[in-house]
């Protein structure tokens, strides 16, 4: 079910909108506002998926209202004036309806909004859940390791040593450092050498050729020197 807000300075226009919406079973009227100011206050406190908005209103008009919104719902302008159509579509509105609006045209605009709503909803549902851990093979077991516990990783040909901040002895897992790197979140782990990956949360200082962590001093290869800019939040040009 989509929630919509109706904004028009004329009570009759609001009533007509609400009557038309009785034919739309996937839209629920969350509120009615007579001015842009009322709409702004409403949207600050309520979640709305779709905004039906007049343009010519006293004071703050509908175009100004939409431009002022930081978090914009989908917009359908419903107005008596065709001259604002270009301005309206430049704001990426779903549709632009000219009063008096035939019911068939109104329902078509609603359907367009609903299709986009469903597309966005399904897209969000398909986004993979980011888990804060991985499972690795070590000591003939599958061991769960939280990313926040990994201080650094050292590659040894067909094996990797996973150094954990809360364990004195590293885990030895039969995999390549490249394969493990692909499983680690890129915003947290950085390859600093062909044989080393470091967790930025444990980096204490960086100097020429070296990176010091909480419990180790790791080599910084010239081939990976550009990674420093990413680690400190500054991309190279």
């Amino acid at each position: 079910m989509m929630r919509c807000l109706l904004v028009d300075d004329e009570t009759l226009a609001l009533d007509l909108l609400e009557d038309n919406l009785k034919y739309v079973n996937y839209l629920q009227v969350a509120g009615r506002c007579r001015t842009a100011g009322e709409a702004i206050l409403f949207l600050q406190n309520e979640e709305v998926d779709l905004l039906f908005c007049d343009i010519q209103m006293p004071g703050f008009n509908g175009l100004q209202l939409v431009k002022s919104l930081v978090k914009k719902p989908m917009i359908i302008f419903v107005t008596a004036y065709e001259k604002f159509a270009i301005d309206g579509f430049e704001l990426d509105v779903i549709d632009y309806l000219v009063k008096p609006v035939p019911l068939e045209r109104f329902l078509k605009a609603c359907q367009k909004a609903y299709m986009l709503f469903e597309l966005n909803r399904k897209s969000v549902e398909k986004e993979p859940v980011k888990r804060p851990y991985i499972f690795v093979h070590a000591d003939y077991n599958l061991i769960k390791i939280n990313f926040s516990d990994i201080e650094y990783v050292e590659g040894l040909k067909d094996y990797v040593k996973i150094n954990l901040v809360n364990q004195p002895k590293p885990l030895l897992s039969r995999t390549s450092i490249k394969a493990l790197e692909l499983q680690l979140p890129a915003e947290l782990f950085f390859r600093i050498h062909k044989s080393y990956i470091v967790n930025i949360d444990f980096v204490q200082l960086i100097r020429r050729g070296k990176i010091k962590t909480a419990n180790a001093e790791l080599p910084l290869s010239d081939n990976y020197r550009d990674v420093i800019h990413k680690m400190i939040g500054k991309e190279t040009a």
Side-chain angles (χ1 to χ4, degrees):
M1 180 71 73
M2 296 172 60
R3 285 164 54 84
C4 64
L5 176 65
L6 317 181
V7 184
D8 200 302
D9 61 311
E10 297 181 1
T11 302
L12 179 59
L14 291 172
D15 291 340
L16 287 172
L17 278 173
E18 197 155 5
D19 283 343
N20 285 344
L21 285 168
K22 291 176 182 178
Y23 296 95
V24 186
N25 59 9
Y26 49 81
L27 274 174
Q28 174 189 9
V29 177
R32 297 167 41 138
C33 297
R34 294 284 302 276
T35 67
E38 287 180 18
I40 290 172
L41 288 175
F42 186 94
L43 291 170
Q44 286 175 348
N45 298 294
E46 297 282 347
E47 287 287 335
V48 167
D49 302 300
L50 178 61
L51 178 66
F52 290 95
C53 188
D54 189 16
I55 291 182
Q56 284 286 71
M57 296 184 290
F60 217 44
N61 66 34
L63 294 172
Q64 292 170 316
L65 166 62
V66 172
K67 289 177 183 178
S68 73
L69 297 177
V70 176
K71 184 180 179 182
K72 291 183 176 64
M74 291 181 287
I75 310 292
I76 294 178
F77 279 126
V78 186
T79 177
Y81 302 91
E82 295 183 10
K83 62 181 181 180
F84 297 113
I86 294 177
D87 297 312
F89 283 112
E90 284 180 350
L91 294 174
D92 293 325
V93 301
I94 298 297
D95 214 332
Y96 188 99
L97 305 179
V98 179
K99 301 173 183 177
V101 184
L103 180 60
E104 297 81 5
R105 181 70 181 86
F106 179 82
L107 296 178
K108 184 178 179 180
C110 292
Q111 184 64 24
K112 192 186 299 185
Y114 183 66
M115 289 174 65
L116 183 58
F117 174 79
E118 283 292 288
L119 185 65
N120 291 337
R121 183 179 63 82
K122 289 176 181 177
S123 176
V124 170
E125 287 178 352
K126 288 181 181 179
E127 288 183 3
V129 176
K130 291 186 177 181
R131 296 183 175 91
Y133 58 83
I134 55 171
F135 281 90
V136 299
H137 287 276
D139 298 326
Y140 304 101
N141 296 303
L142 265 177
I143 300 176
K144 178 183 175 183
I145 304 175
N146 293 321
F147 294 136
S148 59
D149 291 335
I150 302 174
E151 184 175 347
Y152 67 95
V153 177
E154 181 181 357
L156 302 169
K157 291 187 178 181
D158 296 330
Y159 290 85
V160 293
K161 286 168 65 176
I162 303 171
N163 293 270
L164 304 174
V165 71
N166 55 359
Q167 292 186 24
K169 186 178 178 180
L171 289 177
L172 193 65
S173 179
R174 187 178 177 84
T175 186
S176 69
I177 192 170
K178 180 62 179 177
L180 183 61
E181 182 182 14
L182 294 173
Q183 299 180 68
L184 301 174
E187 70 276 9
L188 191 62
F189 291 89
F190 295 86
R191 187 82 169 265
I192 59 171
H193 186 278
K194 67 177 182 179
S195 300
Y196 289 92
I197 298 170
V198 68
N199 184 339
I200 186 63
D201 285 346
F202 294 105
V203 172
Q204 294 183 343
L205 64 87
I206 302 170
R207 61 172 176 262
R208 185 174 179 82
K210 299 289 181 182
I211 288 182
K212 189 178 186 308
T213 67
N215 298 296
E217 190 170 83
L218 309 177
L220 172 61
S221 170
D222 288 340
N223 294 335
Y224 292 92
R225 193 165 294 279
D226 286 347
V227 80
I228 294 175
H229 295 277
K230 296 179 180 178
M231 291 173 71
I232 64 176
K234 294 182 179 179
E235 296 287 345
T236 54

